[in-house]
């Protein structure tokens, strides 16, 4: 979400968080000011993110940061996915033989 960059209160928000806020402003029938207030953001910041998004400036930049978040557990595979996986493995084996 956000991280403090120095001793002063300077916060950097992730691109994913910004995109979620922009998505909220477009999908919900509330004002941008209400969304900014609910999230503890300044409305001008949200307006600026929306403008940057329209201009295509939200691009994933290479980073050296390492995520310390716990990886989500693998979800169980459905029967449809199992049968598709089996079919693909058979097809791969067949292609390898050729």
């Amino acid at each position: 979400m956000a991280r403090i960059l120095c001793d002063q209160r300077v916060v950097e928000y992730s691109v994913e968080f910004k995109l979620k806020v922009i998505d909220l402003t477009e999908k919900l029938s509330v004002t941008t000011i209400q969304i900014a207030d609910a999230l503890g953001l300044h409305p001008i910041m949200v307006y600026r993110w929306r403008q940057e998004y329209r201009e295509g400036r939200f691009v994933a930049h290479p980073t050296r940061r390492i995520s310390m978040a716990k990886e989500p557990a693998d979800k169980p595979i459905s029967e449809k996915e199992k049968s598709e996986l089996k079919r693909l493995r058979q097809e791969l084996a067949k292609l390898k033989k050729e």
Side-chain angles (χ1 to χ4, degrees):
M1 185 173 150
R3 68 185 184 120
I4 298 175
L5 296 177
C6 60
D7 294 337
Q8 301 166 349
R9 191 171 187 271
V10 177
V11 179
E12 177 183 305
Y13 294 93
S14 68
V15 174
E16 294 82 16
F17 177 75
K18 293 176 183 179
L19 290 173
K20 286 179 184 178
V21 172
I22 292 167
D23 193 41
L24 286 174
T25 62
E26 292 174 352
K27 290 186 177 177
L28 297 179
S29 61
V30 294
T31 65
T32 302
I33 294 172
Q34 291 170 324
I35 291 173
D37 187 47
L39 296 173
L41 302 170
H42 196 281
I44 291 178
M45 183 180 292
V46 177
Y47 287 122
R48 188 180 74 219
W49 292 348
R50 289 174 61 187
Q51 180 180 3
E52 289 174 357
Y53 177 73
R54 284 191 301 268
E55 294 172 354
R57 291 197 278 171
F58 282 157
V59 181
H61 298 289
T63 180
R64 293 178 52 170
R65 290 187 217 163
I66 299 172
S67 174
M68 299 302 285
K70 184 178 177 184
E71 293 294 323
D74 292 334
K75 64 178 183 175
I77 299 174
S78 69
E79 291 300 319
K80 182 179 179 183
E81 291 172 324
K82 286 180 184 179
S83 63
E84 178 69 10
L85 183 59
K86 183 178 178 181
R87 184 189 68 77
L88 290 172
R89 285 182 177 158
Q90 290 171 348
E91 186 177 333
L92 178 62
K94 178 184 169 189
L95 291 172
K96 282 184 178 180
K97 285 182 183 178
E98 293 177 359

